[in-house]
């Protein structure tokens, strides 16, 4: 049973009179525990696909089954619950809340899920230690380096122990070495059973994945599986 | 998200943007402070007037000769011509009414008082033994008339403090003989300082037994009869009984006017109360303006924090959570503004009282409650729109904005 099953997905954006087919007749199936890199030129629909998988966006046609459940018909709040409990996001621009400390940023998903402050503190402390941020707990994002910020973001994405991590150009704002380090962290998560989907421009980074998918003009043109 | 977390999150958001928060709190607090200070002023004026009237004595009924305008034109009066005068006997008759505690017939005129070459214009009040008690006046020295003295034409007088200080200086006045007009009176008492009341300064009067004053002014009529009812509840019966007695004594004609102090007070109370409401209304407009400001500031906040809202959505926050967070922030800012404004307003009222000690400038409870409630409600009401806008943002678009 695949973790994710997309069939006949269409996503059309209308800009004025013209319609942009960001995704067209897309079929995709991901097994739990896979490590997938999505590659392709700019504008090929990588981010759109990732947003669809992450339930941030809805397809105009086609069905999306997540953990064997049709999630396209869920209400916005039900989709939010799936995101909260099963999916973690890592963004190119980190998306940390600037006024909150590293620890508070990591605690956000726990707070949204209504988890007790005592347990929250415990889990955040563990996460800080796991990601080498123990001495940065009280620092705000502007007091952290790019690599540290992305580590905070990854800690936040994993704190709810999701089944799926979606990363859109996670190393795009980082230098090579720091990028490598961030990728290694994500790969360790995958190694521990989390399904990992990474969108990247970088062929070398993409090659590290066990499965590569190439996109062009909203369609899947190559799938290494 | 639990309510505690929502509140904490909103607090962090408010403190995260200090200038914005400061301006919003300032706007809200000015509105609340304006309501508090202006109503304190209005209500202070009302209380000042009410107190002045209360100083006349409580449970007071005033009888004046002549049918008053309030009854309208009465053909009976037109036929019988001039109304009958009020007399001391009228007053004595009223005293016997069951609801009446005591009466004070008074006659008033002006004259000159002289003592060892010093001369002064004075207001002469003819009164009886009960006058002092009825007017709630105090004596500084000596005693007031006895009942016998006030009934006869005994030549005794009680003087106001100002008369005493101007004519006698530091000399004791008790026992001295004062010339009023062409008559001589032995001073038996000096009033304690009391100030204004009943349209005359009580410190500048010479009080004589009513019969003596009437003889001096060559009249046997009265200026007023002051009637004190046995209690608040007795005011209305006392009024009716007074009217009934005088009607009987005046051959069945209602040729007097009976004013209860309550009625006069109620009129002033109403006028000044309305004024206070009006002032409060004007001040409330500034609160509405503050509310609109809250809305705009919150709209700016939503725009500023679009990326953050997108993130919260990606992290699985339902629309309601985001809406509540922004509403809590608006509520927090308006509540802080309301509290600060309340403190400022009370300080302003205190400053008013310090600057004008005669004015009891305390904001009325209703105004304080209304101002605080209006601040909170406008803050929340105007916070709803921005909060809903935040909750409705499309997550992908919100995330792409930076
Ligand atoms: N909200 C939108 N409105 C209109 N067009 C959009 C919108 N989002 C994406 N598109 C269009 O859809 C197409 C796919 O966009 P997408 O962001 O998925 O590309 P991408 O592969 O992620 O590109 P990049 O590598 O530059 O991030 C593009 O042509 C883009 O212009
Ligand atoms: Mg993209």
């Amino acid at each position: 049973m695949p973790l994710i099953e997309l069939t006949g997905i269409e996503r059309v954006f209308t800009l004025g009179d013209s319609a942009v087919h960001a995704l067209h007749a897309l079929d995709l199936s991901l097994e739990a525990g896979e490590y997938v890199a999505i590659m392709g030129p700019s504008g090929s629909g990588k981010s759109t696909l990732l947003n669809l998988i992450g339930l941030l966006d809805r397809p105009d046609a086609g069905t999306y089954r997540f953990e064997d459940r049709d999630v396209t018909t869920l209400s916005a709040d039900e989709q939010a619950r799936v995101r909260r409990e099963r999916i973690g996001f890592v963004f190119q621009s980190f998306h940390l809340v600037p006024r909150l400390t590293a620890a508070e940023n990591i605690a956000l998903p726990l707070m949204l899920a209504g988890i007790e402050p005592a347990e929250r503190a415990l889990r955040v402390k563990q996460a800080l230690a796991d990601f080498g941020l123990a001495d940065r707990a009280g620092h705000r994002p502007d007091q952290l380096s790019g690599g540290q910020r992305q580590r905070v973001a990854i800690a936040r994405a994993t704190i709810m122990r999701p089944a799926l991590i979606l990363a859109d150009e996670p190393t795009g704002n980082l230098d090579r070495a720091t990028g490598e380090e961030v990728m290694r962290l994500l790969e360790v998560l995958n190694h521990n059973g989390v399904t990992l989907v990474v969108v990247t421009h970088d062929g070398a980074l993409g090659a590290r994945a066990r499965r590569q998918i190439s996109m062009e003009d909203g369609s899947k043109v190559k799938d290494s599986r | 998200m639990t309510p505690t977390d929502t509140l904490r999150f909103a607090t962090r958001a408010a403190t995260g943007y200090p200038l914005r928060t400061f301006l919003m709190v300032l706007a809200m607090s000015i509105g609340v402070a304006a309501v508090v200070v202006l109503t304190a002023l209005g209500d202070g004026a009302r209380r000042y007037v009410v107190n002045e009237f209360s100083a006349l004595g409580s449970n007071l009924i005033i009888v004046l000769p002549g049918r008053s305008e309030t009854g309208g034109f009465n053909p009976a009066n037109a036929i019988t011509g001039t109304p009958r005068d009020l007399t001391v006997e009228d007053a004595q008759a009223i005293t016997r009414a069951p609801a009446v505690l005591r009466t004070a017939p008074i006659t008033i005129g002006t004259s000159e008082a002289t003592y060892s070459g010093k001369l002064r214009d004075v207001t002469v009040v003819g009164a009886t033994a009960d006058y002092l008690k009825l007017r709630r006046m105090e004596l500084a020295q000596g005693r007031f008339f006895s009942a016998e003295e006030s009934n006869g034409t005994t030549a005794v007088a009680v003087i106001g403090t100002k008369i005493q200080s101007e004519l006698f200086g530091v000399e004791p006045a008790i026992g001295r003989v004062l010339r009023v007009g062409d008559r001589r009176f032995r001073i038996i008492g000096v009033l304690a300082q009391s100030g204004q009341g009943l349209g005359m300064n009580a410190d500048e009067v010479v009080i004589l037994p009513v019969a003596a004053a009437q003889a001096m002014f060559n009249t046997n009529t009265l200026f007023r009869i002051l009637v004190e009812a046995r209690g608040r509840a007795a005011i209305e019966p006392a009024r009716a009984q007074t009217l009934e007695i005088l009607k009987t004594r005046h051959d069945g004609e209602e040729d007097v006017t009976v004013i209860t102090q309550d009625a006069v007070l109620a009129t002033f109370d109403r006028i000044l109360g309305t004024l206070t409401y009006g002032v409060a209304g004007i001040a409330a407009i500034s609160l509405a303006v503050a509310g609109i400001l809250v809305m705009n500031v919150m709209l700016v906040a939503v725009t500023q924090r679009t990326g953050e809202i997108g993130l919260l959505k990606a992290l699985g926050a339902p629309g309601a959570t985001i809406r509540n967070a922004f509403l809590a922030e608006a509520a927090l800012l308006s509540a802080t503004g309301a509290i600060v404004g309340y403190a400022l307003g009370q300080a302003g009222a205190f400053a008013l009282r310090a600057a004008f000690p005669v004015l009891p400038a305390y904001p009325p409870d209703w105004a304080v409650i209304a101002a605080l409630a209006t601040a909170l409600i406008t803050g929340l009401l105007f916070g709803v729109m921005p909060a809903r806008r935040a909750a409705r943002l499309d997550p992908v678009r919100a995330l792409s904005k930076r």
Side-chain angles (χ1 to χ4, degrees):
Chain A
M1 176 198 81
L3 177 74
I4 286 163
E5 191 159 30
L6 298 167
T7 34
I9 295 292
E10 300 282 339
R11 186 72 178 99
V12 185
F13 294 107
T14 38
L15 276 173
D17 305 334
S18 60
V20 181
H21 279 262
L23 294 175
H24 177 59
L26 187 99
D27 298 331
L28 179 65
S29 173
L30 298 184
E31 296 297 326
E34 271 198 271
Y35 176 14
V36 184
I38 301 177
M39 294 183 287
S42 187
S44 57
K46 306 181 297 289
S47 295
T48 307
L49 175 59
L50 207 71
N51 290 336
L52 267 175
I53 295 174
L55 290 172
L56 292 172
D57 198 9
R58 289 169 189 265
D60 295 301
T63 55
Y64 173 16
R65 297 183 72 79
F66 180 81
E67 293 187 323
D68 214 23
R69 180 158 73 135
D70 186 353
V71 287
T72 40
T73 55
L74 294 183
S75 74
D77 282 356
E78 285 166 333
Q79 290 195 337
R81 187 192 173 95
V82 174
R83 286 200 297 275
R84 197 159 66 222
E85 291 171 354
R86 308 300 294 156
I87 304 174
F89 291 88
V90 177
F91 305 95
Q92 175 175 357
S93 54
F94 321 129
H95 272 298
L96 301 179
V97 179
R99 59 175 183 278
L100 300 182
T101 63
E104 286 168 328
N105 266 289
I106 295 170
L108 269 180
L110 300 173
M111 188 178 85
L112 290 171
I115 288 167
E116 298 264 303
E119 194 191 336
R120 250 190 265 167
L122 225 65
R123 279 167 73 168
V124 169
K125 197 172 169 208
Q126 183 61 49
L128 283 164
D130 289 349
F131 290 91
L133 294 161
D135 53 344
R136 294 285 179 274
H139 291 214
R140 282 200 315 273
D142 57 2
Q143 299 163 326
L144 298 172
S145 72
Q148 286 167 338
R149 286 184 212 181
Q150 199 59 305
R151 291 213 302 265
V152 171
I154 295 171
R156 183 179 64 192
T158 54
I159 193 89
M160 288 292 288
R161 299 177 193 125
L164 174 65
I165 297 244
L166 302 173
D168 196 345
E169 314 259 12
T171 62
N173 281 2
L174 303 174
D175 61 49
R176 183 122 220 130
T178 320
E180 287 267 326
E181 182 198 332
V182 164
M183 284 312 292
R184 259 199 306 280
L185 284 174
L186 290 172
E187 284 160 5
V188 168
L189 293 172
N190 171 250
H191 191 76
N192 293 337
V194 179
T195 311
L196 177 63
V197 180
V198 180
V199 166
T200 180
H201 270 118
D202 187 330
L205 279 184
R208 297 164 66 125
R210 279 192 294 280
R211 178 178 173 191
Q212 286 86 24
I213 294 171
S214 291
M215 303 273 304
E216 222 163 276
D217 283 338
S219 297
K220 193 171 74 172
V221 291
K222 210 169 86 192
D223 190 339
S224 70
R225 194 173 71 163
Chain B
M1 198 148 85
T2 62
T4 327
D5 282 330
T6 304
L7 205 65
R8 191 173 305 146
F9 188 78
T11 314
R12 293 297 303 262
T15 51
Y17 303 87
L19 182 67
R20 179 180 71 96
T21 299
F22 169 75
L23 288 176
M24 202 144 125
V25 167
L26 185 72
M28 199 48 104
S29 61
I30 287 173
V32 173
V35 173
V36 171
V37 171
L38 290 178
T39 54
L41 196 63
D43 206 51
R46 185 187 64 82
R47 270 190 243 201
Y48 173 73
V49 170
V50 169
N51 285 348
E52 278 296 286
F53 266 84
S54 304
L56 290 176
S58 57
N59 307 328
L60 203 60
I61 298 165
I62 302 167
V63 184
L64 14 155
R67 188 87 183 95
S68 86
E69 332 53 67
T70 55
F73 178 72
N74 187 342
N77 288 0
I79 296 161
T80 49
T82 48
R84 241 164 280 248
D85 294 320
L86 288 172
T87 61
V88 175
E89 290 71 38
D90 285 337
Q92 282 161 353
I94 295 167
T95 313
R96 288 192 287 274
V100 172
L101 180 64
R102 55 174 80 93
T103 61
I106 52 174
T107 183
I108 283 182
T110 51
S111 188
E112 284 172 347
T114 42
Y115 175 76
S116 72
K118 278 177 274 188
L119 181 140
R120 194 191 192 289
D121 281 338
V122 294
T123 305
V124 175
V125 177
T128 52
D130 280 343
Y131 179 75
L132 196 74
K133 270 187 223 148
L134 190 142
R135 289 288 312 274
R136 303 277 186 273
M137 287 175 137
E138 302 277 340
L139 285 175
Q141 302 161 30
R143 60 179 184 85
F144 204 67
F145 313 137
S146 67
E148 296 79 56
E149 281 167 333
S150 59
N151 289 341
T153 50
T154 331
V156 288
V158 173
I159 61 172
T161 47
K162 203 151 174 197
I163 308 286
Q164 190 222 324
S165 61
E166 283 183 16
L167 294 186
F168 298 93
V170 292
E171 267 184 69
I174 306 286
R176 300 298 154 98
V177 170
L178 181 73
R179 266 185 83 89
V180 181
D182 51 5
R183 289 158 195 259
R184 297 154 66 84
F185 297 89
R186 189 167 51 83
I187 296 170
I188 57 167
V190 178
L191 294 172
Q193 191 157 357
S194 73
Q196 215 62 33
L198 208 70
M200 58 187 172
N201 190 332
D203 298 336
E204 297 178 31
V205 295
V206 171
I207 304 176
L208 305 176
V210 63
Q214 282 180 324
M216 181 151 83
F217 296 121
N218 194 22
T219 176
N220 48 29
T221 70
L222 294 175
F223 172 65
R224 297 276 188 273
I225 299 174
L226 305 181
V227 179
E228 184 178 354
R230 284 192 182 278
R232 259 196 107 66
I235 291 176
E236 208 29 55
R239 196 188 70 87
Q241 287 160 12
T242 300
L243 211 55
E244 194 52 45
I245 288 164
L246 290 176
K247 200 167 159 180
T248 317
R249 291 178 56 82
H250 293 188
D251 303 328
E253 268 178 51
E254 219 176 282
D255 57 359
V256 292
T257 302
V258 179
I259 307 170
T260 59
Q261 189 189 347
D262 268 16
V264 177
L265 263 182
T267 307
F268 269 105
D269 213 29
R270 219 170 29 246
I271 294 169
L272 289 164
T274 310
L275 193 83
T276 308
Y277 283 122
V279 163
I282 292 166
I285 293 172
S286 67
L287 269 180
V289 172
I292 292 167
L293 199 90
V294 168
M295 179 167 74
N296 280 294
V297 168
M298 287 312 293
L299 280 176
V300 170
V302 169
T303 313
Q304 248 179 9
R305 303 220 291 266
T306 301
E308 177 187 325
I309 295 163
L311 169 80
L312 291 175
K313 292 204 153 185
L315 295 180
T321 299
I322 289 164
R323 197 188 56 225
N324 291 344
F326 276 86
L327 262 186
E329 197 176 327
L332 207 69
L333 291 175
S334 8
T336 312
I339 292 165
V340 172
Y342 173 73
L344 283 179
Q346 288 290 9
F350 178 81
L352 267 179
R353 295 196 295 274
F356 310 101
V358 295
L359 201 65
Y362 293 92
D365 289 345
W366 63 262
V368 170
I369 292 167
L372 294 179
T374 315
L376 281 180
I377 290 169
T378 47
L380 272 180
L381 224 54
F382 285 100
V384 167
M385 207 266 266
R388 287 172 64 137
R389 177 172 292 188
R392 286 216 200 98
L393 281 178
D394 173 55
V396 174
R397 232 176 281 180
L399 276 169
S400 66
K401 212 164 151 195
R402 258 267 123 172

